[in-house]
Amino acid sequence: MYFYNVNELYRAMSPSVPLQEMIRAIRSARTQCEERGVIQRECAAIRAQFRQADNGGRSHNLAKLLYVHMLGYPAHFGQMECVRMIASPRYSEKRVGYLGAMMLLDEKQDASLLITNSIKNDLSHSNQYVQSLALCTLACMGSAEMCRDLAPEIDRLLRASNSYIKKKAALCAVHIVRKVHDLGELFVPAARSLLAEKNHGVLHGAVVLIIELCERNPETLERFRKTVPDLVQIMKGLVLSGYSPEHDVAGISDPFLQVRILRLLRILGRNNEGASDAMNDLLAQVATNTDSTKTVGNAVLYETVLTVLDIKSESGLRVLAVNILGRFLLNNDRNIRYIAMTSLQKIVGTDHNAVQRHRGTIVDCLKDQDASVKRRALELSLALVSASNIRSMMKELLLFLSSCPAELKAHAASGIFNAAERYAPSQRWHIDTILHVLTTAGGDVRDETVPNLIQLITNASELHCYTVHKLYRALLTDISQQSLVQVACWCIGEYGDLLLRGECQETEAVQVTEDDVLDALETVLQSHMSSPATRGFALTATMKLSTRITDNVDRIRSIVSIYGSCIDVELQQRAVEYNALFKKYDHMRAAVLERMPVIEKNSSGHTNGETTGEAIKDIQPAKVKQGELLLPPQPANQVCDLLDLLGGSDETLQPSPAVGAPVPGLLINTASIAGGDLLDLLGVLEPAPLAPVLTAPTVPVYEKDGVTLTLSCEKQSDTGLTVTLTASNSTESDISSFTLQAAVPKSVQLHMKAPSGDSLPARGTAKVTQMVVLNNPNKVSLKMRVRISYTSQGSAFQDTVQIDSFPGLDAAGQ
Amino acid sequence: MMRFLLLFSRQGKLRLQKWFTPVTDREKKKVIRDMMMLVLARPPRSCNFLHFRDLKIVYRRYASLYFCAGLENQDNELLGLEVLHRYVELLDKYFGNVCELDIIFNFEKAYFILDEFLMGGEVVETSKVAVSVSMEEADTLQETMEEYMSKPAY
């Protein structure tokens, strides 16, 4: 017949297979799909069985479901069955029911509340194995409410006569205390009395409970300090006793209990002289007598060492502990070496010299095959670097870096940088080290590395030639490491003239032509490996070279104009602006592209990416003693930097801002960089009124070719001074692009306000005024050098005048 | 305390999972996947200790099964290895020359043995003999009850 009754169909298709049959069926499924089919059928059968009345096979069904659950299939429909089974009077059903509860339920499920009552009942069951099930389940998944509810019952069981129940009740109490801290108080008396028990299971549970109570409550800790002598006694018994077959593990008597007691002693002895003294002898005994040929002995020794190092132990014992760690370091077993290094890491701060003695072995572990051991060795090696061992340690660390696993590279690189920064024996060594790291692990270094390195290089002025040669050579070999390429480009841009000069003291001479250099930079520009930031660096470097080379300026001009139509907006903008520099502002090009000043540490460079007006404002006063403003070459703001170059060495002239009609893009950038107002940059100085002061005396300071420049000044404060320069044109032709640049001695701060205009019409019909605000905190003799540039009748003129005396000030320029 | 104990085969099949803290199903799956990935990728004769999030992982391979435990930071890793070893010894004593198939076909027994040895993430009984005796007695209780209820013997 084709049509069966549905129930019969069920029975026919899926009889109640024993658990093992089902497992066999599932395992023999050849594909995932087949397995799913078998499981679906079984689950359907199980569900049907659950719905039926008690047929004696319930525990098997639930067990089947649990197996299916372990394979990863959903089994939540079994939750209620668990609850029912737990309530059953049959032990077999309870057993599987509780197992199901621990596997399928957790405290977040509502169904877990339903078993609270069963647990409560079973805790007072006459049969200890039923009690045990309840205790185990409570300790595994008891929620806070359940714990609160059942805590008194657990406390009662802690005092019960049966050690089987006591030991389980103790760990149940531990769970309760972890869940509901306040309940700890409840268990203190029982815990104390359990220490007198002989049964190891109970003792172990008691020690775990006491550890938990002491860690959570310092007052409880105080009270339990009195148990130190008892604990010492128990430990002594374990260590010195003869062979005990029940607890022996490779010659150690109950290592689990020993380790636990050592941990409790550690907690009790911490920061307490008395307790530490009481345990001193015992610890020495354990340290010397424990057999360290097997892991289990080493486990005990390890715990002993940790305890000795954490309490107030006497120095002899401490030395003994560190020596044990030293022995561990030489052990063949990797695990032992690993934990030795972990422990040494903990004490490298406090017992630095002791750990230093083992430096050689630790460094050897850098070469271990195992990744975990390598990691530990790296951490420890970095912690052991000092001024005296920096050279040898760095050799090892660099060797490590070239072969270390990828996940450790970044950490190793930054560790090396830190060490190099703190202990570098010479600048050249420092630069070499950083270059080495960039060549081996350039992809894994942090972003600040590039500006950091640039800052370092600018500081080492005698090494500029050496550095640029080295970097150039590195660039020729490999342009894939972005940080290295960025630094190389920057240096070539800055120090290209040194590179071309050829001879260099520290490295072999190499003939580099202008074309070679431009080739290298163009390769970087065109390479698909270069990131946008890197290409920015390369373009700017190319531009800078226009003032440092003589023959191939046209080539640079063409490169720059090509990139004016580059798809990358950043590059395009730069190229357009550099183009403008070539075309309209050629007279400023030399000044703008001049050598960068030495960048100081903690300059705004680190925040230049997100710079705001405030950042620059803050830096001003500090920098001022060199009369410089420092804006390290962050690519994103590089264009703005060129115009923001307010000051430099006392040779650099300051271009006045907001000249005539500049390219709009430039203005916008500077505005955004300076937080909206370039004029607000020097917050230190009081803003001088824009209108020139009429009462101040005016003196002519320059007169040539019909162009006159007069100067008047007014004192603003004890050290502050406003100088007004007025220019006029008495010739027959108009003058355009009239700009003034000023320079002052190093200690004097200078700020040029926007001029009133840049054109001087003929026959003096209009004048141009330029205000300059000065601050002379050191009250040096005030001098000012002014460069005048303008265009008249199609030709550019430039002249310089030095002003040594200022009207309104006394001879010393005060 | 131990946070979890996992047993899995070289092919990535889970044979036992015990969680000692409340963990969502989703999180459990993630941890299992991550553990398998980390442990199965280790070359032989590696160090038996790993770092995973804020836990120390102690693992050891016994025949075709990996025993993997997640310990807290202040726990003794070497002792963790001993705990794993003790569990294997208990299984061996119970099943007689235990192999992976025993654990597959009698997984509920493996859990019962575990529950006699560990509780709430801590060792509850340090004596091998005591655990074996408890298991025997509990099994006897189960059989007796079954006979009494005259269910078909399984």
Side-chain angles (χ1 to χ4, degrees):
Chain A
M1 291 263 95
Y2 295 113
F3 301 103
Y4 289 88
N5 176 300
V6 172
N7 284 333
E8 279 176 58
L9 201 64
Y10 263 129
R11 264 196 300 266
M13 279 179 67
S14 44
S16 176
V17 254
L19 169 64
Q20 303 203 335
E21 285 292 323
M22 183 195 80
I23 297 176
R24 217 162 280 142
I26 292 173
R27 280 169 64 79
S28 58
R30 271 159 305 188
T31 63
Q32 184 76 348
C33 191
E34 220 180 300
E35 179 183 289
R36 259 202 301 272
V38 173
I39 288 182
Q40 256 167 19
R41 274 199 304 279
E42 289 299 332
C43 283
I46 292 168
R47 257 193 287 247
Q49 298 281 351
F50 283 171
R51 275 195 294 269
Q52 284 178 20
D54 179 11
N55 60 1
R58 282 164 69 193
S59 53
H60 307 309
N61 281 317
L62 187 54
K64 280 196 267 182
L65 184 60
L66 295 179
Y67 182 82
V68 162
H69 170 74
M70 192 152 62
L71 292 177
Y73 294 90
H76 38 266
F77 59 88
Q79 286 176 4
M80 284 315 292
E81 188 65 12
C82 291
V83 176
R84 270 196 290 270
M85 300 266 279
I86 286 171
S88 154
R90 295 182 200 146
Y91 178 69
S92 57
E93 292 182 354
K94 270 196 204 290
R95 219 180 182 192
V96 181
Y98 275 115
L99 178 64
M102 285 192 274
M103 283 175 79
L104 301 180
L105 297 175
D106 60 46
E107 58 179 45
K108 299 192 186 85
Q109 317 271 9
D110 295 328
S112 65
L113 288 172
L114 299 172
I115 63 173
T116 313
N117 217 36
S118 297
I119 293 182
K120 196 184 225 153
N121 291 336
D122 285 337
L123 280 176
S124 9
H125 199 275
S126 53
N127 188 304
Q128 68 178 21
Y129 292 104
V130 176
Q131 284 177 298
S132 152
L133 290 175
L135 284 168
C136 192
T137 309
L138 183 59
C140 177
M141 52 162 288
S143 65
E145 295 95 67
M146 280 162 78
C147 288
R148 251 186 274 265
D149 214 2
L150 300 168
E153 187 61 24
I154 303 299
D155 187 50
R156 192 184 64 78
L157 289 172
L158 274 179
R159 304 164 202 272
S161 56
N162 182 327
S163 14
Y164 180 78
I165 294 301
K166 271 189 192 163
K167 74 186 184 200
K168 300 208 173 197
L171 288 183
C172 210
V174 170
H175 174 84
I176 291 175
V177 172
R178 283 178 184 154
K179 271 279 188 251
V180 185
H181 306 332
D182 313 325
L183 289 173
E185 263 309 302
L186 174 65
F187 297 118
V188 169
R192 182 75 185 79
S193 54
L194 284 177
L195 274 184
E197 299 269 336
K198 293 283 168 258
N199 180 295
H200 281 219
V202 178
L203 266 180
H204 186 272
V207 173
V208 177
L209 180 57
I210 295 172
I211 289 175
E212 199 64 37
L213 295 171
C214 290
E215 275 181 339
R216 296 199 184 273
N217 191 329
E219 281 158 24
T220 319
L221 194 145
E222 284 296 328
R223 282 151 74 183
F224 273 108
R225 264 214 193 96
K226 304 186 200 91
T227 63
V228 168
D230 299 324
L231 292 166
V232 168
Q233 229 17 63
I234 298 171
M235 236 348 238
K236 269 209 176 95
L238 290 171
V239 173
L240 300 174
S241 71
Y243 175 76
S244 152
E246 208 185 333
H247 300 292
D248 182 270
V249 181
I252 313 281
S253 184
D254 206 339
F256 303 102
L257 183 57
Q258 286 198 30
V259 167
R260 275 314 183 176
I261 293 179
L262 286 167
R263 172 102 82 90
L264 179 54
L265 287 175
R266 180 151 91 238
I267 294 171
L268 296 176
R270 209 181 266 157
N271 294 324
N272 187 294
E273 296 271 354
S276 302
D277 282 338
M279 57 181 85
N280 209 68
D281 289 339
L282 168 74
L283 292 173
Q285 212 163 34
V286 177
T288 27
N289 287 349
T290 307
D291 174 19
S292 58
T293 46
K294 295 265 177 66
T295 306
V296 62
N298 287 323
V300 174
L301 277 175
Y302 177 38
E303 197 73 27
T304 314
V305 165
L306 289 179
T307 301
V308 167
L309 294 174
D310 209 8
I311 62 171
K312 289 196 177 300
S313 47
E314 56 173 51
S315 57
L317 190 56
R318 230 175 154 80
V319 167
L320 181 60
V322 178
N323 286 345
I324 292 178
L325 289 180
R327 263 196 352 251
F328 277 0
L329 272 180
L330 300 166
N331 196 306
N332 283 329
D333 187 339
R334 271 205 181 102
N335 296 335
I336 310 285
R337 289 209 297 274
Y338 178 92
I339 55 121
M341 287 195 279
T342 320
S343 320
L344 287 171
Q345 186 84 37
K346 290 198 188 112
I347 58 165
V348 75
T350 47
D351 299 71
H352 192 88
N353 292 330
V355 183
Q356 279 283 5
R357 253 177 257 134
H358 303 285
R359 195 176 74 241
T361 328
I362 293 167
V363 165
D364 280 338
C365 288
L366 281 172
K367 304 188 187 98
D368 195 300
Q369 303 287 6
D370 186 273
S372 307
V373 172
K374 271 193 160 90
R375 181 189 292 270
R376 287 268 147 257
L378 174 65
E379 293 276 359
L380 206 43
S381 302
L382 288 174
L384 288 177
V385 173
S386 73
S388 47
N389 60 33
I390 178 73
R391 283 192 194 265
S392 52
M393 284 298 275
M394 195 52 82
K395 255 197 235 118
E396 296 288 346
L397 287 169
L398 289 175
L399 201 61
F400 173 73
L401 187 65
S402 47
S403 60
C404 81
E407 64 268 12
L408 289 179
K409 270 207 155 94
H411 187 67
S414 68
I416 289 174
F417 282 152
N418 285 337
E421 201 168 294
R422 286 169 69 190
Y423 303 113
S426 74
Q427 278 183 325
R428 175 173 162 176
W429 181 94
H430 195 172
I431 289 176
D432 279 342
T433 308
I434 299 187
L435 289 183
H436 193 138
V437 174
L438 285 181
T439 4
T440 32
D444 297 291
V445 297
R446 279 201 311 263
D447 296 331
E448 307 93 79
T449 313
V450 171
N452 279 345
L453 178 55
I454 288 175
Q455 181 253 312
L456 190 64
I457 290 173
T458 59
N459 268 306
S461 39
E462 9 15 295
L463 292 170
H464 286 168
C465 188
Y466 166 76
T467 314
V468 73
H469 269 93
K470 255 201 123 161
L471 282 168
Y472 174 70
R473 235 166 292 161
L475 197 64
L476 290 180
T477 341
D478 173 25
I479 56 167
S480 60
Q481 305 274 35
Q482 297 305 298
S483 351
L484 184 63
V485 173
Q486 286 173 9
V487 177
C489 287
W490 190 90
C491 281
I492 292 174
E494 269 302 290
Y495 310 121
D497 45 333
L498 297 175
L499 182 63
L500 294 165
R501 215 179 288 160
E503 81 303 324
C504 178
Q505 287 162 327
E506 316 240 5
T507 68
E508 337 108 42
V510 133
Q511 233 0 65
V512 182
T513 66
E514 295 182 0
D515 272 319
D516 291 335
V517 177
L518 288 173
D519 282 342
L521 288 175
E522 259 197 295
T523 317
V524 173
L525 265 174
Q526 289 162 1
S527 164
H528 60 275
M529 286 193 280
S530 303
S531 72
T534 310
R535 293 168 85 195
F537 268 98
L539 189 62
T540 308
T542 311
M543 188 61 194
K544 282 192 201 168
L545 283 177
S546 69
T547 53
R548 288 158 176 75
I549 63 177
T550 43
D551 301 327
N552 283 13
V553 184
D554 284 330
R555 182 171 170 188
I556 294 179
R557 239 189 274 262
S558 66
I559 294 175
V560 161
S561 66
I562 288 173
Y563 278 88
S565 39
C566 173
I567 283 188
D568 185 297
V569 175
E570 174 66 38
L571 275 182
Q572 191 193 105
Q573 178 164 6
R574 280 178 200 234
V576 165
E577 287 161 355
Y578 294 156
N579 248 332
L581 206 55
F582 267 124
K583 298 212 167 82
K584 288 170 85 172
Y585 300 99
D586 205 39
H587 54 281
M588 284 173 65
R589 187 159 52 90
V592 165
L593 298 175
E594 252 177 0
R595 187 82 95 224
M596 284 276 192
V598 174
I599 301 171
E600 275 195 5
K601 258 246 113 177
N602 304 321
S603 66
S604 61
H606 297 279
T607 57
N608 210 34
E610 319 88 17
T611 195
T612 61
E614 299 83 69
I616 299 181
K617 256 188 244 187
D618 290 341
I619 303 302
Q620 288 311 307
K623 288 298 151 302
V624 160
K625 44 187 187 305
Q626 286 175 298
E628 309 163 10
L629 230 198
L630 304 177
L631 295 163
Q634 280 297 328
N637 300 312
Q638 192 118 21
V639 176
C640 320
D641 293 349
L642 296 177
L643 275 203
D644 277 351
L645 260 174
L646 299 171
S649 65
D650 53 351
E651 292 309 304
T652 329
L653 295 180
Q654 181 185 23
S656 57
V659 176
V663 177
L666 294 168
L667 239 194
I668 294 166
N669 278 333
T670 33
S672 63
I673 277 303
D677 192 351
L678 213 54
L679 303 180
D680 279 345
L681 276 176
L682 289 174
V684 165
L685 306 173
E686 296 147 2
L690 280 171
V693 178
L694 296 166
T695 50
T698 322
V699 290
V701 291
Y702 174 82
E703 202 170 322
K704 197 170 164 191
D705 297 334
V707 176
T708 334
L709 196 63
T710 61
L711 176 145
S712 72
C713 50
E714 187 187 302
K715 271 192 85 142
Q716 302 299 326
S717 72
D718 193 36
T719 54
L721 175 73
T722 313
V723 168
T724 312
L725 294 163
T726 317
S728 64
N729 170 19
S730 60
T731 66
E732 295 298 312
S733 36
D734 294 338
I735 282 174
S736 60
S737 310
F738 184 85
T739 47
L740 290 170
Q741 292 166 306
V744 286
K746 267 205 171 113
S747 63
V748 181
Q749 298 159 15
L750 171 99
H751 176 59
M752 292 189 83
K753 304 236 174 199
S756 60
D758 75 337
S759 59
L760 285 170
R763 293 185 220 97
T765 40
K767 296 186 198 292
V768 163
T769 2
Q770 168 87 60
M771 291 247 298
V772 182
V773 185
L774 297 171
N775 189 29
N776 186 4
N778 294 357
K779 300 206 196 246
V780 301
S781 171
L782 193 62
K783 296 181 202 313
M784 191 159 79
R785 193 182 298 168
V786 178
R787 184 191 285 174
I788 304 159
S789 358
Y790 59 89
T791 311
S792 172
Q793 292 173 327
S795 340
F797 289 84
Q798 222 180 58
D799 206 353
T800 320
V801 60
Q802 175 132 339
I803 304 165
D804 294 318
S805 67
F806 292 78
L809 304 177
D810 60 48
Q814 304 298 308
Chain B
M1 85 179 241
M2 193 183 288
R3 293 272 185 94
F4 58 81
L5 176 67
L6 302 174
L7 264 67
F8 48 86
S9 71
R10 185 112 197 103
Q11 288 76 40
K13 288 253 191 246
L14 190 67
R15 298 300 177 204
L16 187 143
Q17 53 172 322
K18 186 79 185 180
W19 302 87
F20 295 107
T21 51
V23 181
T24 60
D25 266 343
R26 205 167 141 197
E27 186 60 26
K28 280 182 194 171
K29 285 200 165 70
K30 184 161 196 320
V31 173
I32 292 169
R33 243 195 346 259
D34 290 341
M35 280 296 99
M36 286 195 192
M37 220 165 56
L38 282 174
V39 170
L40 292 174
R42 301 276 281 184
R45 284 194 302 281
S46 296
C47 182
N48 294 102
F49 310 132
L50 286 176
H51 258 280
F52 174 69
R53 299 186 192 172
D54 60 333
L55 298 177
K56 296 186 205 189
I57 305 298
V58 175
Y59 78 93
R60 190 170 254 166
R61 183 176 174 182
Y62 288 90
S64 57
L65 272 182
Y66 282 91
F67 286 66
C68 174
L71 302 177
E72 287 180 343
N73 253 316
Q74 67 270 31
D75 289 331
N76 184 326
E77 297 100 310
L78 293 177
L79 198 72
L81 278 178
E82 287 303 309
V83 168
L84 292 179
H85 192 72
R86 174 59 66 91
Y87 182 49
V88 172
E89 285 179 325
L90 292 170
L91 288 171
D92 196 49
K93 179 101 196 302
Y94 185 83
F95 289 110
N97 269 334
V98 68
C99 63
E100 191 182 343
L101 283 177
D102 290 319
I103 299 177
I104 295 170
F105 281 96
N106 300 284
F107 71 94
E108 78 278 18
K109 294 281 162 58
Y111 276 100
F112 296 150
I113 295 170
L114 186 62
D115 288 339
E116 286 296 321
F117 175 49
L118 295 175
M119 212 171 105
E122 307 279 1
V123 170
V124 67
E125 178 53 69
T126 59
S127 155
K128 263 191 287 197
V129 170
V131 174
S132 304
V133 165
S134 310
M135 276 305 289
E136 269 176 46
E137 292 187 2
D139 283 345
T140 315
L141 185 63
Q142 181 165 321
E143 282 165 24
T144 321
M145 294 288 249
E146 285 186 14
E147 275 162 24
Y148 178 70
M149 306 307 273
S150 52
K151 281 204 310 294
Y154 175 61

